[in-house]
Amino acid sequence: MEEKIKQLLLSNANAVFGKEIAEEQIQFQKTRKDVAGDLTLVTFPFVKLLKTSPEKAGEKIGAFLKEQLHEIEEYSVIKGFLNIVLNDQFWVSTLQDLHKDDDYGKAKTPSGKTSMVEYSSPNTNKPLHLGHLRNIFLGYSVAQILKANGDAVVKTQIINDRGIHICKSMVAWQQFAPVDDKGNRETPKSSGIKGDHFVGKYYIEFDKQVTRQGFDLASSWKEDDYLACNDEIKEKLEGLFAAYEREEDTKKRTKIYRKIAGMATDQTDMTRAAKEMLIKWEARDPEVYLLWNTMNGWVYEGFDKSYDRMGVDFDKLYYESDTFLIGKDIIDEGLQKEVFFKKGDGSVWADLTDEGLDEKLVLRADGTAVYMTQDIGTAIDRFKDFPSLDRIIYTVGNEQDYHFQVLFLILKKLGYDWAKQCYHLSYGMVDLPDGKMKSREGRVVDADDIMEEVVQMATASTKERGHLDGMAEKDRKDLYEMIGLGGLKYFLLKVDPKKRMKFDPNESIELNGNTGPFIQYAHARIQSLVNKVALDEVGEIKINAPEKEIIKQLSEYPTVVKEAGENYSPALIANYTYELVKSFNGFYQQYSVINETDEALKNARIVLSQNVGKVIASAMKLLGIDVPNRM
RNA sequence: GGCUCCGUAGUUCAAUGGAUAGAACAAAAGUUUCCUAAACUUUAGAUGCAGGUUCGAUUCCUGCCGGAGCUACCA
């Protein structure tokens, strides 16, 4: 309808306004709740053009439109706002149309675009945490939304299975894992710990031990009057040690301790062991490779279980152990082409100072790859694998904004046209009440734990309501999962992805109010309702104001799906659905559907309810959330 | 220090430059002979500060105050 009015005004601009107008001047918005109207045109933009008051402009346009369009019942002008009331017939046919549409909300024609969505880029040295959950749910949902908008979508994952951090877990396991009487080290199987958690335990152990070693080393330097250090470091260390001994507050003391240890950590035996292992790994040392394969295998077993519970999947996997080699080749080529340059120590850099950025390391002096090396390789590999690819969407936290700015720039400098089609879907961090999560220090909300917890909560509150008489045990279990995970997903997706969000593990995830279960409950109730009536033939339909309001909301759904796609924002879908459900709940409370005596009105309410249910299910599907028929 | 992002009810979140800044939770008070009360209805409560642009600013610009991130031969 908006489009119809827009076209009408544009093509009759001379008749109505006496001159041509620009499309941007025609601005619609939703009519305020307390004002009669279904559609509001903002008339301020015409004031200057027509040299008249906003009221007069509104009158003029209103009169013209009413004359032209039979759908317009009446209109009113309040200040700069032309409020248009559409007649009931328009809304009845709107309802009938969307009722017939099984794919309501989705694009009617393919966009012709192929989009790759990367979400989840786990390191294989520790289990997933709450931050990954936001990342994974966000990326999965964006993939669904892009599909709904007609894209062909490839869901992918980049598995960071190599690098110094992996070597740290490996070194720690070699050095600290308990050995049984047969001489075998502890494994996930022997310890009963899930594989990813098992490896993560050793990564944390590495950090703990290396910190202690670092401190000890620095202390020994102190004994020897910092013989091993230059003056600047010596001075700093002296100051830190003095502060350490003076400080009484344990927390601050720990902080200083870490700082001292950090300064010396690079020189410890453990760090050296990890670095040596990385070099051996890149040289494909058989022993190191075996260890690496074994430990990564443990982690994948764990990840698979987690992904399965999350209900997400991938079409194609990329491993950095493969793509870093491509990256290294490209670095060579880039050196030839003088996109990169080599420093005296052998390290390779990209000079981005002309672009207002700094120099960026792309290969270490010892020849090993850094993150950037493999990210270059991965991108190239992807466009090789999928020649029809139009764009890659990287779902990665905003702490890496700079990294992606640099990556895309380097790809462009290397001459890849598609670099401009790469988009960093940058989402805000999940904060705990006392700040950021630090996985290195083990200060995280674990993904498996939080999933389990929220399902437990869903189980408890569902049992409490007791709506499940006659339901099989298996179905109940599935329902608890659906509600728990639905609550968790909705919680993480309802917030604008770009914004940082807070999560308090002590306050459990809310299941009342603006939540997943609130929406799931509305769906269950609607199913229960429509199951009570025969729906084969829709007879005559009549609507009143309350029905009209909800039809209006339903009619906005396709626009919301489109906007969610354009903005990569599942939050828009979540908020829309919440508003829809709130309206419907109010309606449901006040008016009876199956006891309505006016047949035409009853028909309308049944069809309306059914389609609210349809849109709820469709919208939640786009968020990766399932909805139950009973709860 | 440089660059970037963020400051909205007690708390967690909304608001393409548009009308009287919306919800939820927490607080207070109600609604079950009736389609699932995980619901519904009331009440109270907010744009960090100071300027500027605009018919109109939570939104855009400048400064200040407060918080975060990046600025690693970490990932």
Side-chain angles (χ1 to χ4, degrees):
Chain A
M1 196 67 210
E2 290 186 12
E3 198 50 40
K4 208 166 170 182
I5 292 175
K6 195 186 251 183
Q7 290 311 326
L8 197 58
L9 286 178
L10 282 175
S11 52
N12 292 282
N14 273 313
V16 185
F17 304 104
K19 55 184 84 170
E20 293 300 319
I21 54 169
E23 198 177 338
E24 302 85 62
Q25 286 175 299
I26 302 173
Q27 292 172 18
F28 288 101
Q29 62 178 310
K30 281 197 233 172
T31 307
R32 276 176 60 103
K33 269 188 232 142
D34 50 352
V35 173
D38 301 319
L39 194 58
T40 293
L41 181 72
V42 184
T43 62
F44 288 109
F46 303 113
V47 169
K48 266 188 188 162
L49 191 79
L50 300 181
K51 300 198 173 62
T52 180
S53 68
E55 288 86 351
K56 282 185 183 154
E59 270 308 327
K60 199 165 178 183
I61 300 167
F64 169 75
L65 290 175
K66 185 160 186 330
E67 192 185 306
Q68 296 287 319
L69 298 168
H70 66 275
E71 292 95 336
I72 295 178
E73 180 89 16
E74 57 180 352
Y75 67 92
S76 66
V77 177
I78 304 171
K79 291 192 270 183
F81 302 95
L82 169 62
N83 303 301
I84 297 166
V85 180
L86 300 169
N87 60 32
D88 287 353
Q89 191 45 50
F90 172 78
W91 291 113
V92 167
S93 60
T94 300
L95 177 62
Q96 282 166 332
D97 288 349
L98 72 88
H99 178 60
K100 282 179 221 142
D101 187 349
D102 286 336
D103 282 322
Y104 182 60
K106 296 184 181 162
K108 293 290 166 276
T109 51
S111 67
K113 254 194 233 172
T114 303
S115 301
M116 177 177 274
V117 181
E118 172 192 297
Y119 63 93
S120 187
S121 31
N123 296 344
T124 58
N125 62 337
K126 58 193 177 221
L128 304 169
H129 58 66
L130 185 60
H132 290 111
L133 287 180
R134 188 180 195 191
N135 183 314
I136 290 165
F137 295 152
L138 173 63
Y140 181 83
S141 175
V142 166
Q144 299 302 111
I145 291 167
L146 293 181
K147 273 188 205 170
N149 279 291
D151 283 17
V153 174
V154 182
K155 284 173 289 183
T156 192
Q157 184 179 190
I158 180 71
I159 300 164
N160 191 1
D161 58 348
R162 63 158 296 278
I164 191 75
H165 52 294
I166 315 294
C167 295
K168 287 178 181 177
S169 297
M170 286 155 65
V171 166
W173 184 72
Q174 275 187 329
Q175 294 190 1
F176 307 118
V179 179
D180 67 16
D181 11 319
K182 287 178 195 145
N184 295 319
R185 284 199 190 85
E186 178 184 61
T187 66
K189 207 172 177 188
S190 75
S191 64
I193 302 173
K194 189 164 167 276
D196 49 339
H197 290 260
F198 180 86
V199 173
K201 188 176 88 164
Y202 284 99
Y203 184 68
I204 291 168
E205 186 65 18
F206 182 96
D207 191 65
K208 212 170 102 190
Q209 297 289 347
V210 86
T211 301
R212 196 183 51 75
Q213 273 194 16
F215 185 82
D216 290 350
L217 183 62
S219 297
S220 75
W221 286 345
K222 187 185 172 194
E223 304 294 315
D224 290 336
D225 203 23
Y226 307 101
L227 286 176
C229 324
N230 65 35
D231 285 349
E232 195 191 336
I233 291 181
K234 179 179 168 179
E235 200 175 303
K236 267 191 190 163
L237 278 172
E238 271 175 351
L240 282 169
F241 270 113
Y244 178 76
E245 270 147 37
R246 215 182 314 122
E247 188 57 60
E248 282 170 16
D249 184 283
T250 326
K251 244 185 162 173
K252 285 182 190 163
R253 216 175 137 95
T254 310
K255 239 180 143 177
I256 298 169
Y257 175 91
R258 296 194 76 89
K259 209 162 183 179
I260 295 171
M263 288 183 70
T265 292
D266 281 352
Q267 315 302 323
T268 58
D269 291 343
M270 283 180 71
T271 301
R272 197 170 308 125
K275 281 184 180 169
E276 278 166 12
M277 193 175 271
L278 181 61
I279 292 168
K280 276 188 179 171
W281 181 89
E282 290 205 10
R284 301 216 166 221
D285 178 281
E287 203 179 318
V288 172
Y289 239 67
L290 181 64
L291 174 61
W292 172 73
N293 264 324
T294 306
M295 289 186 78
N296 274 348
W298 293 339
V299 172
Y300 298 144
E301 251 172 58
F303 282 173
D304 284 346
K305 280 185 200 155
S306 300
Y307 286 141
D308 192 48
R309 192 169 201 184
M310 289 172 207
V312 301
D313 53 27
F314 302 91
D315 304 311
K316 171 82 184 165
L317 301 182
Y318 286 89
Y319 295 87
E320 295 195 328
S321 53
D322 296 327
T323 62
F324 89 103
L325 291 168
I326 302 172
K328 280 180 146 184
D329 288 345
I330 298 295
I331 303 300
D332 275 347
E333 277 177 36
L335 268 170
Q336 311 283 320
K337 289 196 256 177
E338 296 185 355
V339 177
F340 305 125
F341 69 95
K342 196 172 253 187
K343 286 195 177 173
D345 61 3
S347 58
V348 182
W349 298 73
D351 182 1
L352 306 173
T353 47
D354 285 350
E355 283 81 4
L357 302 174
D358 225 333
E359 293 177 350
K360 188 74 186 178
L361 177 87
V362 292
L363 202 64
R364 289 197 187 96
D366 64 9
T368 58
V370 289
Y371 230 46
M372 192 57 77
T373 325
Q374 58 208 30
D375 279 355
I376 292 168
T378 307
I380 290 166
D381 202 23
R382 285 171 172 171
F383 276 91
K384 206 178 284 168
D385 284 349
F386 298 91
S388 66
L389 206 57
D390 292 294
R391 55 175 172 172
I392 300 181
I393 291 141
Y394 291 85
T395 314
V396 181
N398 63 11
E399 58 188 349
Q400 294 194 39
D401 284 356
Y402 183 72
H403 175 81
F404 281 99
Q405 201 187 339
V406 171
L407 172 65
F408 298 158
L409 190 55
I410 289 178
L411 288 170
K412 189 179 151 205
K413 288 180 79 131
L414 284 168
Y416 296 101
D417 274 348
W418 44 256
K420 57 180 184 296
Q421 309 294 344
C422 294
Y423 176 75
H424 175 203
L425 173 50
S426 163
Y427 65 88
M429 299 285 99
V430 181
D431 280 328
L432 300 178
D434 55 345
K436 209 186 157 184
M437 288 192 273
K438 297 260 194 266
S439 47
R440 219 168 299 195
E441 295 164 24
R443 201 160 62 82
V444 293
V445 175
D446 180 78
D448 292 324
D449 288 351
I450 192 74
M451 284 195 281
E452 180 57 27
E453 192 182 315
V454 78
V455 169
Q456 287 307 327
M457 276 164 44
T459 305
S461 28
T462 307
K463 281 182 174 160
E464 201 178 299
R465 326 275 161 181
H467 291 164
L468 303 185
D469 286 346
M471 192 187 274
E473 191 55 31
K474 164 82 170 59
D475 295 339
R476 291 183 191 219
K477 280 258 157 58
D478 289 347
L479 180 62
Y480 304 149
E481 283 285 322
M482 196 191 285
I483 296 171
L485 267 296
L488 181 61
K489 288 180 186 180
Y490 189 89
F491 180 87
L492 292 170
L493 288 175
K494 73 175 176 185
V495 180
D496 182 343
K498 289 194 284 294
K499 291 191 179 162
R500 161 183 283 280
M501 68 183 291
K502 205 162 288 177
F503 178 82
D504 189 343
N506 299 320
E507 290 173 24
S508 46
I509 285 199
E510 193 64 53
L511 299 178
N512 298 314
N514 183 1
T515 65
F518 173 86
I519 291 167
Q520 289 172 322
Y521 177 69
H523 184 267
R525 210 160 57 165
I526 288 170
Q527 295 320 305
S528 157
L529 177 68
V530 298
N531 284 340
K532 287 190 167 66
V533 290
L535 281 164
D536 7 310
E537 196 70 24
V538 179
E540 191 196 342
I541 279 182
K542 180 177 117 191
I543 60 166
N544 292 327
E547 289 81 19
K548 189 172 104 171
E549 283 311 308
I550 294 173
I551 298 171
K552 218 195 285 185
Q553 274 181 292
L554 286 177
S555 73
E556 289 160 16
Y557 182 55
T559 312
V560 173
V561 173
K562 196 158 160 265
E563 281 170 1
E566 284 161 358
N567 296 300
Y568 308 101
S569 176
L572 297 178
I573 306 252
N575 290 333
Y576 163 80
T577 313
Y578 175 63
E579 293 299 328
L580 176 67
V581 166
K582 266 197 352 153
S583 302
F584 184 79
N585 280 347
F587 175 84
Y588 177 90
Q589 194 78 17
Q590 204 181 343
Y591 304 98
S592 183
V593 175
I594 58 181
N595 297 324
E596 173 56 47
T597 48
D598 183 331
E599 279 300 317
L601 196 53
K602 181 178 167 183
N603 283 339
R605 289 180 182 170
I606 292 167
V607 175
L608 186 62
S609 304
Q610 198 192 2
N611 283 282
V612 170
K614 181 170 89 181
V615 169
I616 291 173
S618 162
M620 288 300 102
K621 196 88 200 156
L622 295 182
L623 301 186
I625 297 171
D626 290 323
V627 288
N629 293 326
R630 260 184 95 177
M631 73 184 270

